[in-house]
Amino acid sequence: MNSLRHAWLARRLIEMCGGVRAAAEACRLNKSRLSECQAPGSGVYLPIDVVADLEAYCGEPVYSRELVAARPSRPDGAAPAEEACALTEASAEVQALVRRLSSRHLGMADRNTVRRDLDVVEAHVRALRAEMDAETVL
């Protein structure tokens, strides 16, 4: 996973905690250091204990889920066709959710639900790419 992805994940996790100020109160890092972790190219990453604290605070394993999904091992053996179907189904669920929520102002809980569902879609995309990279026969 590249440094831009780490910065994006840090920013997303901090946003889910309610911003830099709230995140700083939930972990051992100060606001400046947390801001550095969000800056692409800074070379500063969230320490794993801080990731754990912030994920516990916001209630979502946003960062660690991505780390697990990006591991260099083959996915759980799903065939490409099965993974493609799961991707389509997960995408349809996101579409249905966003359509249901579009008639109102999206609060933090709604946004977090959509983000969580998008994480599932992204995981299926990564798994399907891994199946293709593994040269699995369709």
Side-chain angles (χ1 to χ4, degrees):
M1 185 179 327
N2 66 34
S3 63
L4 292 176
R5 188 69 175 165
H6 281 282
W8 180 83
L9 285 169
R11 182 173 42 257
R12 185 159 174 215
L13 179 57
I14 290 167
E15 285 173 1
M16 289 183 72
C17 289
V20 176
R21 183 180 305 248
E25 293 175 9
C27 72
R28 66 178 174 84
L29 297 184
N30 62 31
K31 294 183 294 186
S32 321
R33 195 65 171 170
L34 287 171
S35 293
E36 288 176 354
C37 293
Q38 299 180 86
S42 71
V44 180
Y45 300 95
L46 285 176
I48 197 65
D49 65 304
V50 171
V51 169
D53 289 343
L54 296 179
E55 287 182 341
Y57 181 77
C58 78
E60 289 292 327
V62 177
Y63 203 112
S64 60
R65 184 183 309 143
E66 185 78 15
L67 290 175
V68 169
R71 71 192 184 281
S73 62
R74 192 157 186 242
D76 59 349
E82 292 170 2
E83 200 57 60
C85 290
L87 169 60
T88 301
E89 291 164 4
S91 298
E93 288 178 20
V94 171
Q95 178 192 18
L97 175 63
V98 171
R99 183 174 292 200
R100 266 194 326 273
L101 297 174
S102 67
S103 63
R104 65 178 199 226
H105 175 73
L106 295 180
M108 186 60 75
D110 294 331
R111 291 174 190 273
N112 288 343
T113 300
V114 172
R115 286 182 181 117
R116 185 176 54 246
D117 288 356
L118 285 172
D119 287 340
V120 171
V121 171
E122 290 172 349
H124 286 299
V125 168
R126 282 189 305 276
L128 182 55
R129 286 184 193 276
E131 286 289 336
M132 295 294 98
D133 291 344
E135 299 180 23
T136 303
V137 178
L138 291 174

